[in-house]
Amino acid sequence: AVLDKLPIKDIERAVEDALFDGEGVLGTKSNLGVTSEIREWEDHAEEYVVLQAEVSQQRNALMRQRRIRTLNERTYAATLERTTRIENLVNEMQADLKSLKSRLNDELKDLGLSESTATSILAQHYKRQYPGRLEEEVGADAAAAAGDAMIPDAKRQKTEGGDVDVMMT
């Protein structure tokens, strides 16, 4: 008769705490027909079941930790492998860059061009390719120093793949 007068939310809160959070008491040990020896045996049996549950929970937690550690070790090994592979690629790319620079210097020497002339030709190319951008990156003085005298006139021609510089002589 007391439950009829309590709001349902209060009853739900009390039962939820006891059932889901493991707090509170759902019932009391008030069975007068049970002897003290049986009550003591029930207490030991209940304690045994509770301890078994705790052991099971600890085993589950340990197994989760083992699985997580195994996954982390695999991830670490894969990351080390990738790191080594990428470092090798970077070293190879650096060696290629040095080789290309050396070959470019040899080409410039074979053509009889000085480094300043090559820089001027390159600056002029970029000036035509990307108008206005060269001044932003290297400054207006360097762009003006590039000059038009070194490169013949070029016209832009539309193609399917995009714009192409066509040299007109």
Side-chain angles (χ1 to χ4, degrees), residues 52-149:
Q52 278 183 326
E54 287 179 16
V55 167
S56 179
Q57 288 173 348
Q58 293 296 326
R59 267 195 201 122
N60 290 340
L62 182 62
M63 292 305 291
R64 280 192 301 273
Q65 288 176 353
R66 283 181 183 166
R67 268 183 284 166
I68 290 169
R69 187 186 71 226
T70 303
L71 288 172
N72 286 342
E73 287 172 352
R74 286 182 193 162
T75 303
Y76 177 71
T79 303
L80 279 179
E81 181 183 326
R82 280 189 220 118
T83 301
T84 304
R85 193 171 1 133
I86 289 172
E87 284 175 348
N88 290 338
L89 287 172
V90 167
N91 288 336
E92 188 177 319
M93 289 168 59
Q94 286 175 336
D96 288 346
L97 178 63
K98 286 181 183 178
S99 171
L100 286 171
K101 283 182 177 181
S102 173
R103 286 173 44 201
L104 177 62
N105 281 334
D106 292 343
E107 286 277 332
L108 289 175
K109 285 179 186 176
D110 290 346
L111 293 173
L113 295 175
S114 68
E115 190 174 330
S116 62
T117 305
T119 303
S120 174
I121 292 170
L122 186 61
Q124 188 61 33
H125 169 74
Y126 281 125
K127 186 176 178 184
R128 286 210 171 111
Q129 190 75 19
Y130 307 103
R133 190 167 176 193
L134 184 63
E135 287 84 3
E136 295 171 8
E137 293 181 8
V138 297
D141 294 336
D148 291 341

Side-chain angles (χ1 to χ4, degrees), residues 152-159 163-169:
D153 292 335
K155 287 190 174 179
R156 308 229 10 109
Q157 184 177 19
K158 292 277 187 188
T159 63
D163 291 345
V164 177
D165 283 336
V166 177
M167 301 302 283
M168 302 300 283
T169 55

Side-chain angles (χ1 to χ4, degrees), residues 4-21:
D4 293 340
K5 297 176 185 171
L6 289 173
I8 191 72
K9 291 287 184 192
D10 292 341
I11 296 172
E12 285 178 352
R13 230 176 295 141
V15 171
E16 282 178 9
D17 289 343
L19 289 178
F20 302 116
D21 298 334

